[in-house]
Amino acid sequence: IGQAFRPEGPTGIERQFGLPPGELKGIAFDPELLRSAITGEISDQEWREQIVDRLRERHPGVDAGGAVAAWSEPAGTIDEETLDLVQQVRKRAPVTLVTNATSRLDRDLARLGVSDAFDHIVNSSVVGAAKPDRAIFDHALALVGATAGETLYIDDTERYHGPAAGFGLICHHFRG
């Protein structure tokens, strides 16, 4: 229903701080570093500190701390039409947010005013497993007391659908 990181990336921030286009995203979403943050091995703060450290290594003299602070400020955006749909579905069935997120998720959901928009929230950094790992789906299913075959899984990341379908979930690729 929302997006924490806009697809167009932080190019304005990178320009403002004298960084090459794509540099923040490239460092922040380095698979190994990101996995540490979204599985709870490190906190959101530690993840962002490591991004600062890596930026400083690559670009001495740049205000790496300022760039990461500016990049970190937004909490994301909400698609109101999708949120309305979620609220309609909740009248008929429980809705669980299953997300690969850092330890900052609760803060961001509160800032966006959607902390209570779901019956359950399953944060990968709390569970210790990220999509498409079966453990995160099993955790969500246990919360709602449902089997995989009676559960609709909707995600905008298509590469998660194959594993989820393999676990028995009914999958839908969200495209907007």
Side-chain angles (χ1 to χ4, degrees):
I1 67 167
Q3 196 161 332
F5 299 102
R6 283 172 256 150
E8 67 271 11
T11 54
I13 292 168
E14 289 165 338
R15 269 193 303 276
Q16 177 186 350
F17 287 89
L19 292 166
E23 189 70 356
L24 272 168
K25 183 178 178 182
I27 291 173
F29 297 110
D30 169 83
E32 204 171 300
L33 179 58
L34 181 61
R35 187 149 207 71
S36 298
I38 66 171
T39 58
E41 293 172 28
I42 61 174
S43 69
D44 182 85
Q45 181 177 339
E46 291 168 315
W47 175 57
R48 291 173 198 276
E49 288 169 358
Q50 288 191 33
I51 297 166
V52 169
D53 291 344
R54 290 179 183 195
L55 280 172
R56 284 184 180 140
E57 284 175 18
R58 290 186 188 181
H59 306 281
V62 167
D63 180 7
V68 171
W71 174 72
S72 298
E73 180 52 34
T77 59
I78 295 296
D79 180 321
E80 293 297 333
E81 186 177 344
T82 304
L83 180 60
D84 289 343
L85 178 60
V86 165
Q87 297 314 304
Q88 292 300 313
V89 170
R90 282 184 76 193
K91 294 175 184 174
R92 301 179 69 170
V95 175
T96 301
L97 172 65
V98 178
T99 185
N100 288 348
T102 70
S103 58
R104 174 178 136 158
L105 178 65
D106 290 341
R107 183 199 94 164
D108 287 347
L109 293 176
R111 281 182 64 195
L112 293 167
V114 294
S115 294
D116 297 327
F118 308 94
D119 295 292
H120 304 281
I121 297 171
V122 177
N123 179 346
S124 63
S125 69
V126 173
V127 175
K131 296 182 291 185
D133 187 314
R134 183 179 189 132
I136 195 166
F137 295 112
D138 286 344
H139 184 87
L141 291 169
L143 282 174
V144 295
T147 66
E150 59 192 4
T151 303
L152 175 62
Y153 170 63
I154 302 170
D155 202 307
D156 62 345
T157 304
E158 193 170 17
R159 72 178 178 272
Y160 299 154
H161 291 216
F167 307 144
L169 293 163
I170 302 162
C171 298
H172 174 76
H173 184 202
F174 179 79
R175 293 183 183 101

